[in-house]
Amino acid sequence: MTSMRVRYQTIEFGDLDIHLRTLRDRQQFHDRDGAAEQLGISSALWPLFGVVWDSSEVLAHHMLDYQIGGKRILEVGCGIALASLVLNHRLADITATDYHPEAEKFLAKNVRLNAGNAIPFVRTAWEDEASDLGEFDLLIGSDLLYERSHAELLSGFIDQHAKPHCEVVLVDPGRGNHARFSKHMVNRGYSHSQEQPENPDYLAQPFRGQILSYSR
């Protein structure tokens, strides 16, 4: 099996530089010992965790000046965890999760590249009945609603790990599933609003998605 190829890049957030080790492109695949296959991750889906998506850049920019004082924060489905790295630079209490077996290794490497504090990581699926994550004041994520079934699974996972009074911020690129997700969240007692990101001129192409905000 050919070893996966990686690239190093720097993403600028004003005066802040975040250095990243990512997959070279979305053609990479290197499932050591079949770990991903055992988790149901196909070769087509395998590389999606390891590249920077527009939604993740929007979320990271949104977190640059988001009020985080005293909040315990969880990034759900972190992938390359760009938002977590920005929050880590701000000395936030941030924990990251993802289902992919390689996500933790990339996160640890990128934390070191940015000379940051270690970011706790838990590999978990949204349908897992229990974990040691606990509850959080702020839960964030980007481009999570790939399939129709994800709306119910994600809302349940978020509710399981949300404090009674909490905030949820998701960036959705517009795959057509966020209305269903919002309905599940409202049924669970959350208020809902949405907005377009301000001045996303840092992206190479127009962003047609939304920043979804929920609170309880």
Side-chain angles (χ1 to χ4, degrees), residues 7 30 34 44 50 62 95 100 116 119 121 161 164 172 175 180 206:
R7 62 176 294 206
H30 188 43
H62 195 61
T95 299
H100 201 287
I119 297 177
F121 177 90
H161 297 294
D172 183 80
R175 297 187 187 276
R180 181 178 174 85

Side-chain angles (χ1 to χ4, degrees), residues 173-192:
R175 297 187 187 276
N177 296 311
H178 82 263
R180 181 178 174 85
F181 171 77
S182 293
K183 183 177 180 179
H184 280 287
M185 293 294 285
V186 170
N187 288 341
R188 293 179 182 275
Y190 295 82
S191 62
H192 163 55

Side-chain angles (χ1 to χ4, degrees), residues 70 72 135-137 139 159 161-166 190 216:
R72 187 172 187 234
E135 296 180 341
F136 295 82
D137 303 283
L139 299 92
D159 197 53
H161 297 294
K163 290 184 178 180
H165 298 286
C166 66
Y190 295 82
R216 183 178 64 182

Side-chain angles (χ1 to χ4, degrees), residues 12-198:
E12 299 179 0
F13 297 86
D15 295 332
L16 171 63
D17 291 338
I18 295 294
H19 309 295
L20 293 175
R21 175 183 181 264
T22 68
L23 295 178
R24 183 173 182 266
D25 51 41
R26 280 177 256 170
Q27 305 305 313
Q28 303 305 308
F29 175 73
H30 188 43
D31 187 14
R32 298 181 181 88
D33 303 319
E37 183 179 7
Q38 292 176 15
L39 295 172
I41 300 173
S42 68
S43 58
L45 295 177
W46 190 94
L48 300 186
F49 85 97
V51 296
V52 178
W53 297 86
D54 286 354
S55 294
S56 66
E57 286 199 60
V58 171
L59 179 63
H61 276 86
H62 195 61
M63 289 295 113
L64 271 175
D65 55 6
Y66 199 90
Q67 179 56 248
I68 60 171
K71 295 176 183 175
R72 187 172 187 234
I73 307 169
L74 179 69
E75 184 174 8
V76 180
C78 68
I80 213 67
L82 182 58
S84 287
L85 292 167
V86 167
L87 288 167
N88 203 39
H89 178 82
R90 298 184 62 195
L91 303 181
D93 181 358
I94 177 70
T95 299
T97 70
D98 200 279
Y99 190 52
H100 201 287
E102 293 291 326
E104 183 175 15
K105 297 174 186 176
F106 274 74
L107 175 62
K109 175 65 175 179
N110 286 325
V111 166
R112 291 194 295 271
L113 284 176
N114 291 280
N117 298 323
I119 297 177
F121 177 90
V122 175
R123 197 200 67 77
T124 185
W126 297 341
E127 61 266 31
D128 289 351
E129 293 184 0
S131 71
D132 296 327
L133 280 169
E135 296 180 341
F136 295 82
D137 303 283
L138 172 62
L139 299 92
I140 65 174
S142 61
D143 203 355
L144 301 179
L145 299 166
Y146 273 85
E147 300 176 8
R148 182 178 173 86
S149 62
H150 288 167
E152 183 174 3
L153 287 173
L154 179 59
S155 63
F157 180 83
I158 286 174
D159 197 53
Q160 178 186 351
H161 297 294
K163 290 184 178 180
H165 298 286
C166 66
E167 302 163 65
V168 179
V169 177
L170 303 182
V171 176
D172 183 80
R175 297 187 187 276
N177 296 311
H178 82 263
R180 181 178 174 85
F181 171 77
S182 293
K183 183 177 180 179
H184 280 287
M185 293 294 285
V186 170
N187 288 341
R188 293 179 182 275
Y190 295 82
S191 62
H192 163 55
S193 64
Q194 61 189 58
E195 61 182 314
Q196 292 185 327
E198 294 184 7

Side-chain angles (χ1 to χ4, degrees), residues 193-215:
S193 64
Q194 61 189 58
E195 61 182 314
Q196 292 185 327
E198 294 184 7
N199 303 320
D201 52 2
Y202 46 83
L203 299 176
Q205 56 191 4
F207 186 74
R208 306 189 186 282
Q210 300 278 340
I211 299 174
L212 311 177
S213 298
Y214 308 86
S215 61

